[in-house]
Amino acid sequence: MRIHSDSFEPGRPIPATYAVGTRDGFGGNRNPHLAWDDVPAGTRSFALLCIDPDAPTDPSLAGKAGVEIPVEHPRGSFVHWAVVDLPAELREIAEGSASDGVTKGGKRNPPGPAGARQGLNDYTGWFAGDAELGGDWFGYDGPYPPPNDLRTHRYFFRLFALDVARLDVPERFTAGDVLRAMQGHVLAEALVWGSYTLHPQAAAV
């Protein structure tokens, strides 16, 4: 199985059109185009995750005045999108069809492919307690790495072909719920990734 995007080149920078944050404020936050083929026989649905594995493990450093987060700082995952029950016949998600602009406090009922369910992304926890931005962030919300982070972040769009039509996850599910529920049901996986940074001196990838 293969996946690609017309919105960015594999392993190259993701345009700010698809990001939550830019150096000047909010970005376009449109979901990128994704398309796939060579789907294995027996596929009954797909699951899709977008994960940044380069998030700093000490969130207090993000945006801290006078501090730069070094490349070697320990990293963890930050989830930007979790989708299940994508129909077996689906082969493409159009740019901007699931997110177009930043919704402060998160999208309550994000648009997307018919029949699919979209879970919480990690901005839910990141903005928790923020009077303006706090809330349940469902669906796609794009890159917003700390502007003082010297590491260029990578964003992996991982598509899983599953042998079940409906994945057993809670109503308010997370990527962790998806990964647990998929165990024993994955027929194939494909991924494509792009990079993004807001630090003017971070290495271009």
Side-chain angles (χ1 to χ4, degrees):
M1 188 167 67
R2 301 176 301 177
I3 185 172
H4 76 276
S5 176
D6 292 342
S7 300
F8 60 90
E9 296 181 26
R12 301 297 298 165
I14 295 172
T17 300
Y18 312 107
V20 165
T22 71
R23 292 191 179 105
D24 300 316
F26 286 125
N29 199 36
R30 291 170 63 83
N31 67 282
H33 162 270
L34 295 170
W36 54 92
D37 54 21
D38 290 346
V39 173
T43 298
R44 299 183 63 197
S45 72
F46 300 96
L48 175 67
L49 301 176
C50 176
I51 300 176
D52 167 14
D54 299 310
T57 53
D58 183 353
S60 70
L61 298 177
K64 190 172 184 179
V67 173
E68 289 193 332
I69 303 172
V71 171
E72 61 272 16
H73 177 82
R75 305 291 165 155
S77 294
F78 192 100
V79 175
H80 289 267
W81 205 4
V83 192
V84 299
D85 304 346
L86 290 161
E89 65 274 11
L90 189 70
R91 295 293 181 272
E92 186 174 35
I93 297 175
E95 175 187 323
S97 64
S99 180
D100 188 2
V102 175
T103 302
K104 294 182 179 181
K107 294 181 282 291
R108 296 295 181 270
N109 295 291
R117 292 179 289 156
Q118 301 188 60
L120 295 165
N121 64 56
D122 281 346
Y123 286 113
T124 303
W126 183 260
F127 290 129
D130 187 299
E132 183 181 14
L133 299 174
D136 286 340
W137 289 64
F138 286 96
Y140 175 84
D141 288 295
Y144 197 172
N148 59 331
D149 195 346
L150 284 165
R151 178 180 289 199
T152 297
H153 289 218
R154 297 162 296 160
Y155 299 83
F156 289 84
F157 293 84
R158 302 174 62 188
L159 182 76
F160 302 87
L162 307 178
D163 64 4
V164 292
R166 183 175 175 85
L167 206 59
D168 184 15
V169 293
E171 182 177 353
R172 295 176 76 258
F173 65 89
T174 65
D177 294 319
V178 176
L179 290 167
R180 285 187 290 272
M182 285 194 305
Q183 294 297 313
H185 296 291
V186 178
L187 300 174
E189 178 186 354
L191 66 82
V192 63
W193 66 276
S195 64
Y196 195 74
T197 181
L198 294 177
H199 196 295
Q201 297 175 0
V205 174

